[in-house]
Amino acid sequence: MNNIYGIRAADSKVAFVTGANGISGSAIIDHLIKQPAREWSEIIITSRSSIKTVYTDPRVRFIAIDFLEPAEAIVEKIKGLCAGVTHAFFSSYIHNNDFSQLYKKNGPLFRNFIEAVDLACPKLQRVVLQTGGKHYGFQYRNITMPLLESMPRYEGPENIFYYEQEDDLFAAQKRRNSWSYNIIRPMAIIGYSCQYLGINETLPLAQYFLICRELGEAPRWPGTLESYHRVEKQSSAPGIANLTLWAATNPQCKNEAFNHDDGDVIVWMFLWHLLAKYFQVPMDRFEPPTAATEPFDLGEWALDKKAVWERIVARYGGDPEAFQIDAFKLMNWYITPAANLAPFISTVVKARQFGWDHGDDTYQSWLNTMRVYENAGVLPILP
């Protein structure tokens, strides 16, 4: 790493990570910190708001950047600090529960980023763009094969902003022709974030079970029988970070897209009972869904539950501000991500063929994430 004289190894790498307060961004930073200083001499991190995690590693440098600012203004902010950047990791995202509106901010967000790092980072070797499983349009169409990186883009009327981001990436890389890229496409992401708004499954589900426990109610399944039995692949945030750094530092992986999932599958029925056990919610009065079961809206369910959450926090600890109605509304989509209920599933065969051999236990990742939220003072620690 850099010493007090500002000297670093000639072959060491410098990382630039956006979205430092998000699930994937913070996981990438954690993974980088575990790497030797002789390999990664500096780790420059950024987010729109101030960083909420204290990093004791002296390689970490934080700079606040809003990538909705013009690229020229961003270049002026980063050109000194980022002159040595070799690898740029983009995991920024601005959420809107109305998916049709996501392109309005997330398109310019990435466009300004890629233009800025292309201009301000003369030593740039690799850019990694994280998108997601919705790239494949399973939310809009029937899928008759596993989600493969080579699948054609969805051509329906709905907008998938990932395509705009990819096209901007391809155009910048072709214009400069001095660095390569990777695209990482995780499925539903399981992990900790110090931010409460955005795409996050674990926190609202934890609150749902804790509130049911407080009220002495069985945790009703909010979906249908089909969604209760649905098999799904998910992505643990540490595993996403592992794939991201592996791909970004392997020459044979340049200019390739890779799906990410943990390598196993979950069934929502199994996960539901696992979480009930973890949060000490009795299931003796739980009624499994039947073919006649009608789903209910978790957002509507949560409307009058803020006071219950505050009561739980007052007794056991936690953060009263962690309760967000929009997070519960989004859970309706996670429970039933495609209106037609057609099955879909991802594959990491391509990454395996390229040599990636990491895997995670998704069920354990859910429990690990709950523990992190407890340790962070966000969720209560039950007796």
Side-chain angles (χ1 to χ4, degrees):
M1 61 174 291
N2 281 2
N3 59 25
I4 60 173
Y5 304 106
I7 301 170
R8 65 183 179 89
D11 59 347
S12 65
K13 298 179 285 290
V14 176
F16 181 53
V17 185
T18 78
N21 283 323
I23 298 178
S24 294
S26 59
I28 291 170
I29 296 166
D30 288 342
H31 195 66
L32 281 164
I33 287 172
K34 294 173 185 176
Q35 310 309 308
R38 65 180 179 275
E39 295 183 13
W40 294 92
S41 60
E42 295 179 70
I43 305 166
I44 302 165
I45 66 176
T46 182
S47 69
R48 285 179 296 162
S49 57
S50 60
I51 195 71
K52 297 180 175 63
T53 301
V54 176
Y55 292 106
T56 59
D57 191 313
R59 292 176 294 171
V60 176
R61 298 284 300 276
F62 172 74
I63 179 172
I65 301 173
D66 183 353
F67 284 106
L68 290 179
E69 293 183 6
E72 297 80 5
I74 298 169
V75 170
E76 287 302 310
K77 286 185 177 181
I78 70 173
K79 64 181 181 181
L81 186 61
C82 296
V85 165
T86 58
H87 292 70
F89 303 94
F90 183 84
S91 59
S92 297
Y93 171 77
I94 298 176
H95 182 64
N96 190 318
N97 275 4
D98 183 351
F99 291 173
S100 69
Q101 302 300 306
L102 287 172
Y103 75 96
K104 292 183 177 180
K105 291 186 176 180
N106 286 286
L109 196 74
F110 179 73
R111 188 177 309 115
N112 293 334
F113 159 83
I114 193 63
E115 291 180 3
V117 297
D118 184 49
L119 291 171
C121 306
K123 297 183 179 180
L124 192 62
Q125 300 173 18
R126 191 76 62 95
V127 174
V128 182
L129 164 65
Q130 178 176 307
T131 60
K134 292 192 293 296
H135 169 94
Y136 298 106
F138 60 77
Q139 64 274 36
Y140 303 128
R141 59 174 171 175
N142 287 326
I143 299 291
T144 57
M145 62 188 298
L147 306 182
L148 300 172
E149 293 88 343
S150 58
M151 285 178 64
R153 288 180 175 181
Y154 171 67
E155 296 183 352
E158 298 87 355
N159 181 286
I160 297 178
F161 72 89
Y162 294 149
Y163 301 163
E164 180 182 344
Q165 290 184 328
E166 286 190 352
D167 288 343
D168 287 334
L169 174 68
F170 301 151
Q173 193 269 345
K174 184 177 180 180
R175 180 177 66 245
R176 180 68 62 179
N177 199 29
S178 61
W179 46 264
S180 53
Y181 65 82
N182 288 112
I183 300 167
I184 306 297
R185 298 172 185 157
M187 300 301 118
I189 301 175
I190 309 304
Y192 169 79
S193 171
C194 58
Q195 298 179 140
Y196 298 150
L197 293 178
I199 287 185
N200 191 330
E201 292 186 67
T202 50
L203 194 52
L205 272 190
Q207 293 168 331
Y208 176 71
F209 277 89
L210 287 164
I211 290 170
C212 287
R213 179 183 186 273
E214 176 71 13
L215 297 176
E217 299 176 355
R220 291 171 54 204
W221 173 249
T224 62
L225 177 63
E226 290 88 352
S227 59
Y228 185 61
H229 289 158
R230 188 163 62 85
V231 175
E232 181 177 330
K233 284 192 169 186
Q234 298 183 341
S235 292
S236 300
I240 298 172
N242 183 288
L243 175 64
T244 297
L245 263 71
W246 172 85
T249 55
N250 275 279
Q252 74 271 20
C253 295
K254 69 177 183 179
N255 300 335
E256 295 286 351
F258 294 102
N259 287 341
H260 178 275
D261 63 55
D262 287 342
D264 64 357
V265 297
I266 69 155
V267 179
W268 274 97
M269 176 180 68
F270 300 160
L271 180 62
W272 206 249
H273 287 264
L274 178 69
L275 294 178
K277 181 178 180 180
Y278 182 85
F279 289 111
Q280 307 171 29
V281 185
M283 296 291 277
D284 52 312
R285 291 184 288 112
F286 173 75
E287 297 182 4
T290 67
T293 298
E294 292 291 330
F296 69 91
D297 190 305
L298 273 170
E300 293 180 3
W301 173 90
L303 288 175
D304 62 351
K305 301 300 189 299
K306 180 76 182 295
V308 182
W309 175 248
E310 291 173 344
R311 189 165 75 227
I312 295 169
V313 168
R315 185 180 305 131
Y316 299 116
D319 186 354
E321 300 306 316
F323 188 92
Q324 300 287 338
I325 296 295
D326 274 355
F328 287 94
K329 291 179 179 178
L330 187 61
M331 280 309 304
N332 295 321
W333 184 84
Y334 277 120
I335 296 298
T336 309
N340 54 22
L341 290 176
F344 63 91
I345 200 161
S346 62
T347 173
V348 289
V349 167
K350 179 178 177 180
R352 297 286 186 241
Q353 291 174 337
F354 273 74
W356 185 62
D357 60 2
H358 181 84
D360 289 287
D361 179 337
T362 307
Y363 294 110
Q364 188 61 50
S365 291
W366 274 85
L367 303 185
N368 293 347
T369 302
M370 300 306 182
R371 180 60 55 83
V372 175
Y373 274 115
E374 292 168 359
N375 291 340
V378 177
L379 291 179
I381 300 176
L382 299 178

